[in-house]
Amino acid sequence: MAIQKPSHTFTKIHLKALRTNNFKILFALSFTVFINTFSFAQDIPRKQDSINPSKKDTVIIATDSLEVKPEISEAIQDTTATDSTAQKKKDLLEYIVKYSAVDYTKFNNKKRKLYLYNEAVIDYGDMNIKAGNIIIDYSTNTVYARGITDSIEGYTQAPIFTQGANVVEPDSIVFNTESKKALIFNSKTEQGEGTVIAEITKKENDSVYFLKDAKYTTAKDLEDPEYYIKLRKAKIVPGKKIVTGLANLFIYDVPTPLGLPFGFFPQSEKQTSGVIIPSFGEQNDRGYFLQNGGYYFAISDYFDLAVLGDYYTNGSYGFRVENKYRVRYRFNGNLSFRYENLITSERGFPDYGKNTIYNLRWSHSQDSKSNPNSRFSASVNLGSSTYYRSSINQVNTGSFLNNTLASSVSYSKTFQGEPQVNFSVTATHSQNTNTEQINMTLPTFQGSVGRIFPLAPKVGSKKGVIQNINLQYNLRAENRIQTTDSLFFKKEMFDDAKTGFQHTIPLSTNFKVFKYFSVSASTNYNEVWTFKTIDRTYDPVERQPVTETINGFDTFRTYNFSTSLGTTIYGMFNFEKEGEDKKIKAIRHVMRPSLSYNINPSFDKYYDTYEVVSADGQTTDDVEFTRFEGSIFGTPNKNFSSSMGMSLSNNFEAKVRDKDSTATEPKKVILLNNLNFSTSYNFAGDSLQWSAVRMSGGTQLFKNKMSINFGATLDPYALDSNNKKIDKFNIDNGGSLFRLTSANLTASWSLSSKDGKKDDDESDSSRENLRSGGRADDLFGVSEDFANQQFADDEVEEEEVPSDLYNYKIPWSLRLAYAVNYSNSARQNEISSHSLMFSGDIDLSEKWSVGASSGYDLKNQGFTYTQLRFERDLLSWRMNFSWVPFSTRSSWNFFIGIKSSILKDLKYEQRRQPDVRL
């Protein structure tokens, strides 16, 4: 059993490490023998001659302790009268006593007692006592504090004892101001996240309390706690620890067999190391298991480490190393490595199998204020392609649907000046878990020099074509690797690595014509360096081309020219008329047409040919190829192209009457965020000169709660009988003006009642899914690691007044995601995909919550991965039940445990794992 800091991520049991030290053992034994030899226990002292009292008469003069002595002037004080070597007599009280009361403050000189009644307050040093009735006995240096008994209100104004940061609320208290000891009766004091309720508490000194028949609980209702741990005898060192004897759990005053012969509860405000209690269960094919148990190392305030492990009775095992680090205003991140050795069945059986999987995740972000000119970031998620599908650890429940793993580690730096220089080094990784194909760049280097305006004036703005001429320099270098999951991190993965450099120098300018048109013109010089080229010949024996790789430096250079003309057109349609107050005031239409022209010369000098020889020795054909095939930056353009591009973007907004009668201006509503059309015409082409018209758009409805995006491709050319595109317009072939070849529509809708659950991208399960490459929402379900999910109890909830009527306003939330894709490129006229995903939560009552995540494939007529969730708030406890009713991941998980992080090991968890054979 352990107590931990609320901010801790993992459960810890505080253990004190033991080690053998021969020198200290020998010293302790020698010291013990020495003490036993030369000391005695409970000796009776020798009788000495008694001192007879003096027979001189003494006169006792009674003095009033409240009498103020006259002050002695420093000018007439004799310094020789004071003996500096004499010990100063200690005052009766070490500190000044400040006291007050409402009804009366009375001092009895004979008994040397001070009486305070009704809202009495005592301040003595760092001690403060508030109570209804306080008595200070100066003869014994004792303070008595208790409440006031009233026949109507009962026992009121119970004492509140405060010393330093410790606050105790007892029924009564007896405190000695000289020894600092106290007896406290029926006290309640906060220790960490919990509260200790004790019948009798003995305060030994400022840092030690002894308790008898105490209760420790994290419940809010201290008068009738729903649970507590009964401590027969206990010792408390505030802010450090609680040490107990026999302790067991009580639920509503009913004892349970859950207990410990002794316990140690660390109460440090700093994080401490400790054991992490595992979860247990049974898996069909691997027997009984323990999951997510291990040890937490509180290394420093900036760095921690958790080592977790899983063990299955058939021999399977796994371990995880997780770390979080954070330096405020500089950087923060987390690192996780997971490894599992999974055994199926038993050795000797035909279905016996062994599978080793792993996963590495690293996330690092830098505070932008720490160094504005350089930045380092990392987002790594790589490992076995089957990790999330094969792993049965409940931490990975919401991630097994991911089919892509991606990583990026980058460092960038900026050198300020004129011109500004930037460079970055990036390593990337992309992994398809279905095909097990891996693409990596180790590394990618990018450098650039900022825009230079060589002809711009030294002062003033730039005007005209000449002054706006500018150029840049960009460099990109890559070492690209393509491999598979089986060769990952092996020597073979580097054999086919490709390396290349690309230099680009864009030269551009811009200016205005006819006041409303913006013109831009640019030319781009491109140079590619490569270290591998090819040579291709034809083998007449094998009757196939043979490609030979040639190692060595080679380069090619290309250039192109482009220009564009664009403007912005505003249109306003007013619906208002004089004397009328219409709901729709006006519709605003913004159009941005654009024309562009591009010339790409032909660089056929980089192309060669090889002859194809038939079986009878005759040359049948010459096949062109370029030695730069396979270059990571493409190949030189073979065909001359001269094309014109056309695009039109639209935006529609409306001004409507505001429902708020106090508003002075109409409300703006977005009808269409964007509606775009684009196409191009190739002047140099001999056929199919028009490209397809691409349309895309999007909008948001219902106060931005619903987002809709759509797109379509319209081809102007017809198809022949073999469903191949021909150089003939579709309208001339008996069809419509355009032929719809593809279309798509996606929509997402988030609905909730006024008090419903909102999307929380910062929840534990959302962060876990996002770091694993999944969705930030719960449409794929949530993690079933309920033991590590904390409830935020920091917010103070307002107390609701009970009502006899049932509250019909049930909080709820619903998230929908809809997607449909249409394909008709070869007259197939089919819906290629059609799906609906949904997730929702509903609070049936204040304590009951039900949720579900699922989806339906409208094309294949079947439900997708479905998860049902049930949650019950049991005040200081919580209960969770998660159920996957069907599919190969069919499983359930039941959990009940204490909310508080310091007692989260008091839990019960039972689950049925998915059958991995399915």
Side-chain angles (χ1 to χ4, degrees):
M1 191 175 301
I3 297 180
Q4 73 174 34
K5 189 178 176 183
S7 62
H8 288 178
T9 305
F10 303 97
T11 306
K12 301 169 282 298
I13 288 184
H14 191 95
L15 298 179
K16 186 165 184 172
L18 302 179
R19 65 174 182 176
T20 303
N21 193 316
N22 296 330
F23 174 77
K24 291 187 177 181
I25 294 176
L26 181 61
F27 175 79
L29 293 175
S30 303
F31 183 76
T32 305
V33 173
F34 177 80
I35 292 299
N36 291 336
T37 304
F38 297 99
S39 62
F40 301 91
Q42 298 180 355
D43 273 355
I44 300 175
R46 296 178 181 178
K47 291 184 178 181
Q48 299 179 355
D49 296 336
S50 59
I51 300 176
N52 296 324
S54 176
K55 294 183 181 180
K56 293 181 180 182
D57 295 335
T58 58
V59 180
I60 301 175
I61 301 175
T63 59
D64 189 353
S65 61
L66 300 180
E67 182 180 356
V68 180
K69 296 181 179 181
E71 295 184 355
I72 301 175
S73 173
E74 293 183 358
I76 62 175
Q77 186 178 2
D78 187 0
T79 59
T80 60
T82 304
D83 187 358
S84 60
T85 61
Q87 185 177 5
K88 185 179 180 180
K89 184 178 180 181
K90 189 174 182 180
D91 295 336
L92 184 63
L93 294 179
E94 186 176 356
Y95 303 101
I96 298 176
V97 179
K98 299 179 181 179
Y99 55 87
S100 63
V102 174
D103 283 6
Y104 63 81
T105 300
K106 182 176 68 176
F107 183 80
N108 189 320
N109 190 31
K110 183 176 181 181
K111 296 183 179 181
R112 299 183 60 79
K113 291 184 178 181
L114 177 65
Y115 299 90
L116 308 174
Y117 190 80
N118 193 9
E119 298 184 9
V121 179
I122 290 287
D123 283 317
Y124 179 72
D126 64 342
M127 180 201 71
N128 175 271
I129 300 178
K130 297 179 181 179
N133 191 358
I134 298 178
I135 302 174
I136 303 177
D137 191 337
Y138 286 93
S139 61
T140 59
N141 298 327
T142 305
V143 177
Y144 302 89
R146 60 185 179 87
I148 298 176
T149 303
D150 188 270
S151 59
I152 299 176
E153 297 182 0
Y155 191 72
T156 60
Q157 297 189 36
I160 300 176
F161 177 80
T162 305
Q163 188 168 21
N166 299 319
V167 179
V168 183
E169 299 180 11
D171 285 348
S172 58
I173 185 173
V174 179
F175 179 75
N176 189 286
T177 59
E178 183 177 4
S179 64
K180 302 295 181 68
K181 295 182 179 181
L183 281 178
I184 305 170
F185 301 92
N186 296 326
S187 64
K188 300 181 182 69
T189 177
E190 292 187 3
Q191 295 293 329
E193 290 186 45
T195 303
V196 177
I197 305 172
E199 294 182 2
I200 301 176
T201 302
K202 180 180 179 182
K203 179 180 178 293
E204 187 67 18
N205 50 50
D206 289 345
S207 58
V208 178
Y209 292 81
F210 294 96
L211 291 78
K212 182 180 179 182
D213 294 332
K215 301 175 183 178
Y216 183 81
T217 181
T218 59
K220 293 183 179 180
D221 186 2
L222 300 180
E223 299 299 328
D224 185 22
E226 60 268 21
Y227 88 98
Y228 58 84
I229 299 174
K230 187 168 185 178
L231 314 176
R232 270 73 180 179
K233 293 181 180 179
K235 175 183 177 181
I236 295 180
V237 180
K240 293 185 177 181
K241 59 187 175 181
I242 299 177
V243 183
T244 73
L246 178 63
N248 66 306
L249 178 66
F250 279 65
I251 298 178
Y252 280 112
D253 293 327
V254 178
T256 67
L258 301 177
L260 293 171
F262 59 89
F264 181 85
F265 300 83
Q267 293 289 305
S268 175
E269 293 297 327
K270 298 181 178 180
Q271 56 184 2
T272 56
S273 302
V275 172
I276 301 172
I277 301 299
S279 301
F280 61 90
E282 181 182 4
Q283 204 271 335
N284 297 339
D285 202 40
R286 296 188 175 95
Y288 295 97
F289 64 79
L290 295 174
Q291 283 186 357
N292 302 320
Y295 198 83
Y296 175 81
F297 298 91
I299 299 174
S300 70
D301 293 337
Y302 312 103
F303 183 88
D304 67 358
L305 180 68
V307 180
L308 307 172
D310 309 332
Y311 179 74
Y312 306 82
T313 53
N314 78 327
S316 301
Y317 65 89
F319 72 88
R320 296 181 8 236
V321 179
E322 298 193 355
N323 153 253
K324 290 185 178 181
Y325 57 90
R326 182 182 184 89
V327 178
R328 184 173 293 182
Y329 307 124
R330 294 188 64 185
F331 57 82
N332 66 86
N334 58 78
L335 177 67
S336 171
F337 178 75
R338 307 178 182 185
Y339 176 87
E340 294 183 25
N341 184 25
L342 302 178
I343 298 175
T344 305
S345 186
E346 297 183 10
R347 190 182 298 274
F349 285 82
D351 58 344
Y352 174 80
K354 188 175 181 180
N355 185 23
T356 300
I357 56 177
Y358 68 95
N359 179 257
L360 173 65
R361 297 188 314 182
W362 179 30
S363 175
H364 178 93
S365 61
Q366 176 182 315
D367 195 312
S368 59
K369 298 184 292 295
S370 63
N371 193 341
N373 294 326
S374 66
R375 185 171 184 83
F376 177 79
S377 63
S379 177
V380 176
N381 184 17
L382 58 85
S384 304
S385 296
T386 60
Y387 176 79
Y388 290 113
R389 292 195 299 268
S390 300
S391 174
I392 59 174
N393 194 308
Q394 70 269 25
V395 176
N396 304 316
T397 299
S399 306
F400 79 97
L401 293 174
N402 304 336
N403 55 16
T404 302
L405 304 181
S407 306
S408 175
V409 181
S410 65
Y411 172 77
S412 62
K413 187 172 181 59
T414 300
F415 297 92
Q416 299 293 343
E418 289 294 337
Q420 181 176 286
V421 178
N422 306 284
F423 82 87
S424 65
V425 180
T426 307
T428 62
H429 153 267
S430 179
Q431 182 175 351
N432 189 311
T433 59
N434 292 328
T435 62
E436 299 187 359
Q437 189 77 23
I438 300 175
N439 294 307
M440 303 182 69
T441 58
L442 293 174
T444 297
F445 175 86
Q446 295 186 81
S448 66
V449 178
R451 293 182 181 273
I452 301 173
F453 293 85
L455 303 177
K458 294 183 179 180
V459 294
S461 60
K462 297 179 288 293
K463 298 180 180 179
V465 180
I466 304 300
Q467 293 183 2
N468 279 287
I469 292 177
N470 63 86
L471 58 89
Q472 285 181 280
Y473 171 73
N474 300 308
L475 169 64
R476 181 181 179 92
E478 281 190 22
N479 180 38
R480 191 175 297 176
I481 298 171
Q482 186 173 1
T483 184
T484 60
D485 199 26
S486 58
L487 300 178
F488 195 47
F489 281 133
K490 294 183 179 179
K491 178 181 178 299
E492 293 80 2
M493 72 175 284
F494 300 97
D495 293 342
D496 297 327
K498 297 179 181 180
T499 305
F501 290 79
Q502 184 182 42
H503 309 263
T504 57
I505 302 178
L507 180 68
S508 63
T509 185
N510 61 81
F511 54 95
K512 284 186 176 292
V513 294
F514 304 116
K515 190 178 179 179
Y516 299 107
F517 293 91
S518 298
V519 180
S520 65
S522 65
T523 181
N524 187 69
Y525 172 80
N526 181 58
E527 182 172 329
V528 174
W529 295 353
T530 184
F531 298 93
K532 285 183 180 181
T533 55
I534 66 167
D535 186 21
R536 185 168 297 160
T537 58
Y538 186 80
D539 188 349
V541 178
E542 297 294 336
R543 304 193 60 171
Q544 62 181 7
V546 177
T547 302
E548 179 184 1
T549 301
I550 300 174
N551 293 320
F553 176 79
D554 206 343
T555 181
F556 69 86
R557 301 167 184 85
T558 62
Y559 54 88
N560 59 37
F561 173 80
S562 64
T563 183
S564 65
L565 173 68
T567 187
T568 303
I569 302 173
Y570 300 90
M572 183 73 74
F573 302 92
N574 291 314
F575 296 95
E576 279 191 303
K577 293 183 179 180
E578 189 176 354
E580 296 183 1
D581 186 16
K582 293 187 176 182
K583 184 175 182 180
I584 301 178
K585 305 291 185 181
I587 292 179
R588 184 172 182 253
H589 180 202
V590 180
M591 295 185 294
R592 292 182 175 88
S594 175
L595 289 175
S596 63
Y597 178 71
N598 298 274
I599 295 178
N600 292 291
S602 173
F603 299 94
D604 51 3
K605 65 180 181 179
Y606 297 112
Y607 283 79
D608 300 314
T609 60
Y610 65 88
E611 296 180 348
V612 177
V613 181
S614 63
D616 56 2
Q618 299 294 323
T619 301
T620 60
D621 197 4
D622 290 336
V623 179
E624 284 188 324
F625 75 97
T626 177
R627 64 183 184 274
F628 297 103
E629 286 184 16
S631 171
I632 58 178
F633 296 113
T635 59
N637 185 34
K638 177 185 175 183
N639 299 317
F640 172 79
S641 66
S642 174
S643 62
M644 180 180 64
M646 293 164 282
S647 65
L648 175 65
S649 64
N650 300 269
N651 174 268
F652 294 89
E653 297 177 349
K655 290 185 177 182
V656 299
R657 184 176 62 241
D658 200 323
K659 293 181 179 179
D660 186 0
S661 58
T662 61
T664 58
E665 295 291 335
K667 185 172 64 174
K668 185 174 68 175
V669 176
I670 297 177
L671 302 180
L672 276 176
N673 279 342
N674 57 83
L675 179 62
N676 306 322
F677 299 90
S678 64
T679 186
S680 64
Y681 182 83
N682 186 6
F683 296 101
D686 56 357
S687 63
L688 303 175
Q689 294 175 298
W690 284 100
S691 65
V693 177
R694 291 175 174 82
M695 184 269 290
S696 63
T699 187
Q700 291 180 327
L701 304 175
F702 307 111
K703 297 182 180 179
N704 298 331
K705 291 184 177 181
M706 184 177 185
S707 176
I708 299 177
N709 294 283
F710 53 88
T713 303
L714 306 171
D715 199 322
Y717 292 103
L719 299 177
D720 60 11
S721 57
N722 295 322
N723 292 328
K724 291 185 178 180
K725 190 186 297 187
I726 59 176
D727 189 19
K728 188 176 183 180
F729 290 116
N730 194 55
I731 192 171
D732 296 334
N733 199 40
S736 58
L737 178 62
F738 292 102
R739 182 170 50 86
L740 181 64
T741 58
S742 65
N744 64 82
L745 172 67
T746 60
S748 60
W749 200 354
S750 178
L751 300 171
S752 65
S753 62
K754 184 177 180 180
D755 301 325
K757 178 182 176 182
K758 298 181 180 179
D759 293 338
D760 186 8
D761 294 341
E762 296 299 324
S763 65
D764 291 340
S765 60
S766 297
R767 286 194 297 265
E768 175 66 27
N769 289 343
L770 198 59
R771 284 197 295 262
S772 300
R775 300 175 62 99
D777 52 35
D778 57 358
L779 290 175
F780 283 174
V782 300
S783 172
E784 294 182 350
D785 187 17
F786 298 119
N788 285 330
Q789 295 180 12
Q790 299 299 322
F791 273 40
D793 294 332
D794 298 335
E795 298 181 0
V796 179
E797 298 180 357
E798 298 181 359
E799 295 184 0
E800 297 183 358
V801 180
S803 174
D804 296 334
L805 300 176
Y806 177 72
N807 184 10
Y808 65 92
K809 295 182 180 179
I810 300 177
W812 58 271
S813 64
L814 178 64
R815 292 161 293 283
L816 299 172
Y818 174 77
V820 58
N821 289 278
Y822 170 77
S823 298
N824 190 34
S825 58
R827 290 199 181 100
Q828 63 267 40
N829 192 23
E830 66 174 2
I831 299 294
S832 55
S833 64
H834 196 192
S835 62
L836 173 67
M837 297 178 61
F838 53 88
S839 175
D841 298 276
I842 182 172
D843 296 339
L844 299 178
S845 67
E846 292 183 0
K847 306 299 182 183
W848 270 109
S849 176
V850 178
S853 299
S854 184
Y856 190 77
D857 190 335
L858 299 171
K859 179 183 178 182
N860 299 317
Q861 303 295 317
F863 281 94
T864 59
Y865 177 74
T866 301
Q867 184 188 63
L868 304 178
R869 302 180 294 271
F870 305 89
E871 184 177 307
R872 169 68 176 176
D873 184 359
L874 300 171
L875 300 179
S876 301
W877 297 65
R878 61 185 174 93
M879 180 181 69
N880 297 83
F881 180 73
S882 174
W883 180 31
V884 180
F886 46 81
S887 80
T888 58
R889 305 283 297 189
S890 176
S891 60
W892 56 265
N893 187 3
F894 174 79
F895 171 87
I896 185 171
I898 295 179
K899 291 181 185 179
S900 174
S901 59
I902 60 177
L903 293 177
K904 63 186 299 184
D905 291 328
L906 286 177
K907 63 182 180 180
Y908 174 76
E909 193 168 9
Q910 186 67 31
R911 67 173 65 90
R912 186 174 80 89
Q913 295 287 92
D915 192 341
V916 296
R917 294 172 297 182
L918 300 177

